[in-house]
Amino acid sequence: MEPTCVDTSLNLNLDPSMPMDGDLVEELRRLSCENKRLNRMLTHLCESYMVLQKQLSQFINTNNNSDHHHQDPLDQSRKRKVSDSDKYNAECSSITEDSLKKHKDFNFSPKVSKVLVKTEASNNSLYVMDGYQWRKYGQKVTRDNPSPRAYFRCSFAPSCPVKKKVQRSLEDPTILVTTYEGEHNHGHQRGEISFISSQSQTPKGSSPVSSPTTPTIRSACPTVTLDLVNSELVEESAQKSSIQQFLVQQMATSLTRDPNFTIALASAISGKILDAKW
DNA sequence: CGGGTTTGACCGGCGC
DNA sequence: GCGCCGGTCAAACCCG
């Protein structure tokens, strides 16, 4: 990914001649500084991502070559499933040792992505506010992890086929492992703006102490996990766009959840409207 | 009453 | 064929 692929600059088209409240100006300056700082952080993250992706590609290529040299026919037939599935290898996976160990357990459906969300230790909810509306249709305790796995379908099903699974990480229970399957064929229906109040929205029937979790930059360190398995150029552009999309979503979500930002934005917009009107 | 969650039952794939 | 396991269904329940 190009480090400059996501334009995170926030241009409110401020008119210097427009009379503005001093506090608001100060607030906008502060937000502008924060925006620049986040931009630098994002650029740095993108660069690190590129370096890691290159390293992993080299690692996989090296491994593939050595496998071809040392495989006996039986092994080849055993691994047929995995190599065939590699064709559909557009999945994403977390960059963890565990996931690398479990390489052959990957789900090879066309569009699978995994996102790790850091939560507060006291937050035992399995709800991740990601801008879409989900309906829970099942919960299951799996063999390899004592914490239950929740199954969600997009509320716009069956027209939208997207599903997601949410389960706490075995290594770190404060991390929610969210696996998305499929792609939404619609936009954010509830919109990020609704997130401002989403923190107090508790899903029906859920414990009152639990609260939905949003993968925001503010909540400690959200781990974005992306597809580093497939290094093919054809896949690369698709990955880039999905990464960009995700990063933009993350930023929009975190910004819109910030009441200060919302107030400043609303003031700026209303100011512009009034300015245009009069 | 409608929309959402909970949860036990059921189903199908897979390994032995 | 059997048992295990993950995923899904659907009735019961909850809440605004």
Side-chain angles (χ1 to χ4, degrees), chain A residues 1-12 35-36 38-40 42-43 46 240 243-245 247-249 251-252 255:
Chain A
M1 183 200 292
E2 299 293 328
T4 55
C5 61
V6 181
D7 181 12
T8 56
S9 60
L10 185 61
N11 182 10
L12 292 174
N35 184 40
K36 280 176 190 163
L38 288 171
N39 204 357
R40 281 198 297 275
L42 185 62
T43 305
C46 288
K240 281 182 184 174
I243 292 161
Q244 285 178 33
Q245 201 182 344
L247 287 171
V248 169
Q249 279 173 19
M251 292 184 63
L255 283 172

Side-chain angles (χ1 to χ4, degrees), chain A residues 228-248:
Chain A
L228 299 182
V229 177
N230 193 339
S231 59
E232 285 178 26
L233 288 171
V234 185
E235 303 284 351
E236 209 169 293
S237 61
Q239 283 178 29
K240 281 182 184 174
S241 64
S242 65
I243 292 161
Q244 285 178 33
Q245 201 182 344
F246 185 82
L247 287 171
V248 169

Side-chain angles (χ1 to χ4, degrees), chain A residues 16 53 75 115-116 129 144 157 164 196 222-223 236 250 253 256:
Chain A
Q53 191 176 34
D75 273 350
V115 176
L116 306 187
M129 305 302 289
D144 54 342
K164 76 170 178 180
I196 298 159
T223 311
E236 209 169 293
Q250 292 285 304
T253 301
T256 51

Side-chain angles (χ1 to χ4, degrees), chain A residues 85-93 106-114 180 226-232 234-236 238-239 242:
Chain A
S85 305
D86 282 345
K87 291 174 201 167
Y88 308 101
N89 205 353
E91 62 176 316
C92 300
S93 73
F106 284 166
N107 180 350
F108 291 100
S109 57
K111 291 282 180 186
V112 178
S113 62
K114 200 180 262 186
Y180 294 89
L226 302 161
D227 183 2
L228 299 182
V229 177
N230 193 339
S231 59
E232 285 178 26
V234 185
E235 303 284 351
E236 209 169 293
Q239 283 178 29
S242 65

Side-chain angles (χ1 to χ4, degrees), chain A residues 44-55:
Chain A
H44 182 251
L45 275 174
C46 288
E47 284 167 357
S48 303
Y49 168 77
M50 285 303 289
V51 171
L52 278 171
Q53 191 176 34
K54 265 184 199 164
Q55 286 176 359

Side-chain angles (χ1 to χ4, degrees), chain A residues 70-170:
Chain A
H70 298 99
Q71 259 179 10
D72 63 51
L74 207 104
D75 273 350
Q76 281 178 5
S77 68
R78 262 189 226 133
K79 290 175 183 173
R80 168 101 36 141
K81 233 179 184 175
V82 173
S83 56
D84 280 353
S85 305
D86 282 345
K87 291 174 201 167
Y88 308 101
N89 205 353
E91 62 176 316
C92 300
S93 73
S94 60
I95 319 163
T96 61
E97 274 182 47
D98 187 50
S99 70
L100 288 172
K101 273 185 222 160
K102 292 178 178 175
H103 185 123
K104 62 178 176 180
D105 294 335
F106 284 166
N107 180 350
F108 291 100
S109 57
K111 291 282 180 186
V112 178
S113 62
K114 200 180 262 186
V115 176
L116 306 187
V117 181
K118 183 87 174 171
T119 65
E120 287 168 29
S122 59
N123 183 0
N124 58 355
S125 130
L126 284 175
Y127 291 87
V128 178
M129 305 302 289
D130 51 13
Y132 289 98
Q133 202 172 355
W134 300 94
R135 172 180 288 189
K136 189 177 179 182
Y137 66 89
Q139 183 165 316
K140 196 88 179 172
V141 176
T142 55
R143 202 170 60 101
D144 54 342
N145 193 335
S147 66
R149 175 184 295 169
Y151 299 90
F152 296 89
R153 244 194 293 264
C154 181
S155 283
F156 288 82
S159 64
C160 179
V162 184
K163 292 180 203 168
K164 76 170 178 180
K165 292 177 280 189
V166 182
Q167 188 172 30
R168 297 206 166 268
S169 167
L170 190 58

